[in-house]
Amino acid sequence: MANQSLVPKNPSKSGKNWLVEVSQHDKSGNHIYTTAGGIVKTKVKVHGAKFSDEWPQSLYFPDGHIHAGLFKGMATILDECRFSRFVGKNSKLAQCPKFQCKGNLAAPFDCCCQHMLYNQPDFVDINSLLEAACKAHSFEVLFLPKFHCELNFIEQCWGYAKWIYQLNPASSQKDDLEKNAVAALEAVPLKTMFASHSCHFMDAYSCGLNSCQAAWAAKKYCGHRILPESILDDLEKSNIT
Ligand SMILES: [Zn+2]
């Protein structure tokens, strides 16, 4: 889904069609800017979904319909997907309070209309705007878990630059700070295998090691491409728990 804001439960009214805001691009694919420097935005229809049999499902009423071109609303969309029991008499909320079920794998399937809709296979599998933009330029987006800087290559580079930066004598002079920051960033060696360091952690976690064991293993086997098969025995011998 292009926009994670609340999708209306009911059909749009004429003149208030539900659309999503996207950035406008020129023919070269670059953003268009306003005179004030902001990115020019435009509103577009969300592209269609698919039924379980792969038949296309438009999210807007078709030509010839009394509400042609207007957004159908979640209730109608779910009804068309044979979820009428959830949107009819015993109607579910459009969205539960604070959308608490979002990202909660233990949340019941029918928590709220938004949850049901977002968990339809064609909604789950759709690329985000970021993924679509990167794919158009032949880049793949790799999503990493939150709060795990050890798995993020660029965080390793920042960490290195910060370490270099803190070696400088303390100063409150703007020029000094800027010069030191630039020098620290330029000091990051291109040959250092930051990716390998992160890969060691990924390898360790996939072996079932905890964060403490993974940190120990990443340091001990920093020259290895992957962790040795003896890793569990090595941890036990070194009493790393
Ligand atoms: Zn919910």
Side-chain angles (χ1 to χ4, degrees):
M1 195 59 153
N3 189 325
Q4 293 287 298
S5 62
L6 177 61
V7 180
K9 186 177 177 183
N10 296 314
S12 293
K13 292 195 165 47
S14 183
K16 290 186 176 178
N17 203 8
W18 187 73
L19 305 166
V20 291
E21 192 175 77
V22 296
S23 302
Q24 240 181 348
H25 298 87
D26 61 20
K27 286 179 183 170
S28 304
N30 299 316
H31 285 130
I32 300 173
Y33 293 91
T34 64
T35 48
I39 295 174
V40 176
K41 303 278 185 178
T42 186
K43 290 202 164 189
V44 297
K45 286 182 178 177
V46 177
H47 58 75
K50 284 180 185 170
F51 291 108
S52 55
D53 62 359
E54 295 288 302
W55 193 256
Q57 180 189 26
S58 174
L59 305 187
Y60 294 82
F61 290 111
D63 289 343
H65 191 278
I66 188 172
H67 301 305
L70 294 177
F71 182 67
K72 291 176 176 174
M74 278 194 292
T76 302
I77 293 166
L78 289 169
D79 190 23
E80 289 177 348
C81 295
R82 300 181 187 170
F83 291 124
S84 52
R85 65 188 186 282
F86 299 111
V87 294
K89 193 176 170 189
N90 299 313
S91 178
K92 291 284 178 182
L93 288 174
Q95 187 183 80
C96 57
K98 296 184 181 176
F99 199 16
Q100 290 168 340
C101 59
K102 186 181 177 185
N104 178 2
L105 297 177
F109 157 77
D110 59 347
C111 172
C112 56
C113 289
Q114 187 113 319
H115 186 66
M116 283 190 279
L117 194 63
Y118 281 2
N119 281 286
Q120 289 301 294
D122 51 337
F123 277 73
V124 172
D125 296 339
I126 203 161
N127 283 337
S128 63
L129 284 177
L130 173 66
E131 290 170 293
C134 289
K135 197 174 177 183
H137 291 85
S138 304
F139 290 107
E140 185 182 353
V141 180
L142 177 64
F143 289 102
L144 298 170
K146 288 178 184 174
F147 315 120
H148 280 277
C149 55
E150 76 277 19
L151 301 178
N152 194 333
F153 307 167
I154 194 69
E155 291 291 350
Q156 310 289 328
C157 296
W158 296 138
Y160 190 96
K162 284 179 194 170
W163 178 72
I164 296 286
Y165 182 87
Q166 57 86 36
L167 296 176
N168 293 297
S171 171
S172 57
Q173 297 296 313
K174 183 173 173 285
D175 289 348
D176 284 346
L177 301 179
E178 187 173 332
K179 182 167 63 72
N180 292 343
V182 171
L185 288 167
E186 286 182 344
V188 175
L190 297 178
K191 286 185 179 172
T192 300
M193 306 298 278
F194 294 115
S196 298
H197 190 65
S198 292
C199 287
H200 282 141
F201 274 94
M202 293 180 197
D203 196 24
Y205 290 144
S206 67
C207 290
L209 273 57
N210 62 32
S211 57
C212 180
Q213 292 169 327
W216 179 86
K219 194 170 180 182
K220 182 169 176 62
Y221 300 107
C222 62
H224 295 224
R225 194 170 59 83
I226 56 171
L227 297 178
E229 288 185 4
S230 61
I231 181 63
L232 294 179
D233 289 337
D234 297 344
L235 284 166
E236 195 170 334
K237 280 179 200 163
S238 301
N239 202 24
I240 309 295
T241 55

